[in-house]
Amino acid sequence: MKDTDIKRLLYTHLLCIFSIILSVFIPSLFLENFSILETHLTWLYICSGFVTAVNLVLYLAVKPNTSSKRSSLSHKVTRFLKCCIYFLMSCFSFHVIFVLYGAPLIELALETFLFAVILSTFTTVPCLCLLGPNLKAWLRVFSRNGVTSIWENSLQMTTISSFVGAWLGALPIPLDWERPWQVWPISCTLGATFGYVAGLVISPLWIYWNRKQLTYKNN
């Protein structure tokens, strides 16, 4: 494992964090009375778009899992369509899970679905960019000792931290504090966002700290 690989991982993560910061400040230049709390649904649209775009650009630029085989145009189109289907399936699956765990079924359906979209953006999109629409690769990466690179190790940590953040964000909702950020699903989406950012910061630092102990099957 080279220090340059860890630096490249860190730089890509910093750009992902920067995309979230941009999603907070840039819309305020064009949209009147824009704020994360007051116009939360609008921010979810924008944040999801910014993070997805940056992930795609970074994947095309960095190409951490470049294959030696050249794929045809039809194969690339098919792969892209599969990725879109996987993303939509992820959004609907999360939506159903949220409803089963107590989210409003009809009254706040759009809010619940956008929560599913932002969580899919933080978890499914990086998996699709790094591993593609390959469930076997996903299961391998999220199994014990299944990672084969620092990128997959980082993917594990950012995905898990996003889920943990979303779960922690749900804890204050039933409390009688009457704060505006307790409205469904604001605290959950903010928790997922903070969890995602925490994973982006912690994972390269953890990998660097444990670089001498980490070994990968393809190394």
Side-chain angles (χ1 to χ4, degrees), residues 44 98 111-120 166 184-185 188-189 192:
L44 290 179
F98 298 154
E111 287 82 350
T112 303
F113 184 73
L114 288 179
F115 175 31
V117 169
I118 199 68
L119 189 58
S120 295
W184 173 261
C188 293
T189 56

Side-chain angles (χ1 to χ4, degrees), residues 29 58 60-61 63 76 110 140-141 159 166 168 178:
L29 301 176
L58 289 175
L60 294 175
K63 296 181 179 179
K76 293 179 179 179
L110 178 60
R140 172 183 59 77
V141 168
T159 301
L168 292 176
E178 297 183 356

Side-chain angles (χ1 to χ4, degrees), residues 125-145:
V125 168
C127 289
L128 290 172
C129 289
L130 186 65
L131 306 173
N134 186 343
L135 287 180
K136 289 184 178 179
W138 293 26
L139 293 174
R140 172 183 59 77
V141 168
F142 290 99
S143 63
R144 186 176 180 181
N145 300 323

Side-chain angles (χ1 to χ4, degrees), residues 14 17 36 55 71-72 96 116:
L14 290 177
I17 295 174
I36 293 180
N55 269 274
S71 56
S72 63
V96 171

Side-chain angles (χ1 to χ4, degrees), residues 40 165-166 168-173 181-192:
H40 190 67
L168 292 176
L171 297 181
I173 292 179
W181 50 266
Q182 288 180 273
V183 177
W184 173 261
I186 295 178
S187 62
C188 293
T189 56
L190 293 181

